[in-house]
Amino acid sequence: MIRHHPDDALLLALAADRLARGPAVVTATHVERCSHCRARLRDLDAVGGALLEDAEPALLAPEALARTLARIDAGEAHTSVPKPPVRSRAEMRFLASLPAGMTWPRSLRGSTTTPWRWLGPGMRWSRVTLADDRAANVFLLRIAAGKSLPSHTHDGIELTQVLHGAFHDGRERFDAGDFDEADGRVHHQPVVEPGGECICLASVEGRVAFDGRIAQVLCSLVGM
Ligand SMILES: [Zn+2]
């Protein structure tokens, strides 16, 4: 069961095309898997006029919510009539490296991924390059059972969507399907639950500040 969702402000920003591509893809990955958030988007659409006008009308594209819902509905239609996408050999190899039972998000279609790279003991990562914004800082983290990311905080917004497995960050437990938004007020150390590895999709705006010297060196190597 999904317990952690994007807040209304983030859903509205997604619907209104006001998010940068990285955060938009991570949030859309949550929405495609979460019936609660799809219903919430429809509720926001129903009260939309007033709500959107109270927000920042100059920045909102007209009919943006309706368009977003149509896109999501079109995605749902695709799942019922699957059309095999054309995939490169590298992409096939990457998809084959994923754990059994893990669904590859529709929001990542057209994106490319690097092979898994070593980040630390039990920790690997893959850079995700979005087709429509190659500079967006989006990546996958793959962490073994019981391992943890070094403790860190951020000077920007970090969005995380759990694709597989579960972790606990000292505040809350996050299962597959859960979404997390962290900023500079959050200082956390995600620890993967025992019993299975965890794969997350994340976007980071601004820099991540790790506590330890080794962690800082590692992260500058990988450009995080
Ligand atoms: Zn949700």
Side-chain angles (χ1 to χ4, degrees), residues 8-220:
D8 284 354
L10 202 51
L11 288 176
L12 273 172
L14 173 73
D17 279 337
R18 282 198 291 133
L19 289 178
R21 288 303 300 145
V25 162
V26 179
T27 310
T29 297
H30 174 84
V31 170
E32 74 179 42
R33 187 166 176 169
C34 180
S35 55
H36 169 86
C37 282
R38 288 199 301 277
R40 188 70 193 139
L41 273 172
R42 288 188 179 87
D43 288 349
L44 293 171
D45 193 30
V47 290
L51 197 65
L52 291 176
E53 277 160 29
D54 282 351
E56 295 166 56
L59 294 174
L60 295 172
E63 305 303 320
L65 268 173
R67 272 207 317 272
T68 299
L69 288 170
R71 275 203 301 268
I72 291 166
D73 287 341
E76 283 169 351
H78 279 299
T79 20
S80 52
V81 188
K83 191 174 146 201
V86 181
R87 291 188 164 124
S88 70
R89 198 170 285 186
E91 212 176 346
M92 296 293 285
R93 260 200 307 274
F94 186 83
L95 293 176
S97 79
L98 299 174
M102 181 182 146
T103 315
W104 187 241
R106 286 193 302 274
S107 307
L108 289 178
R109 284 184 190 160
S111 305
T112 58
T113 46
T114 60
W116 293 107
R117 294 167 175 170
W118 188 88
L119 181 62
M123 288 187 278
R124 286 179 289 166
W125 76 292
S126 164
R127 162 76 57 199
V128 178
T129 303
L130 305 181
D132 51 0
D133 183 358
R134 301 183 63 79
N137 198 8
V138 179
F139 52 92
L140 293 155
L141 283 173
R142 183 172 194 169
I143 301 178
K147 295 285 180 189
S148 60
L149 265 189
S151 181
H152 65 281
T153 185
H154 328 86
D155 66 3
I157 302 289
E158 177 193 73
L159 301 184
T160 304
Q161 170 70 13
V162 186
L163 302 180
H164 180 83
F167 72 86
H168 200 291
D169 77 345
R171 303 172 299 161
E172 307 264 8
R173 180 187 154 97
F174 293 85
D175 280 292
D178 278 334
F179 179 90
D180 187 35
E181 176 174 355
D183 61 18
R185 289 166 299 177
V186 175
H187 191 267
H188 61 174
Q189 180 170 31
V191 181
V192 173
E193 299 281 84
E197 62 178 341
C198 183
I199 298 181
C200 292
L201 175 69
S203 81
V204 173
E205 306 272 279
R207 289 192 61 80
V208 182
F210 283 88
D211 297 349
R213 170 99 184 106
I214 291 172
Q216 284 167 12
V217 171
L218 267 179
C219 290
S220 64

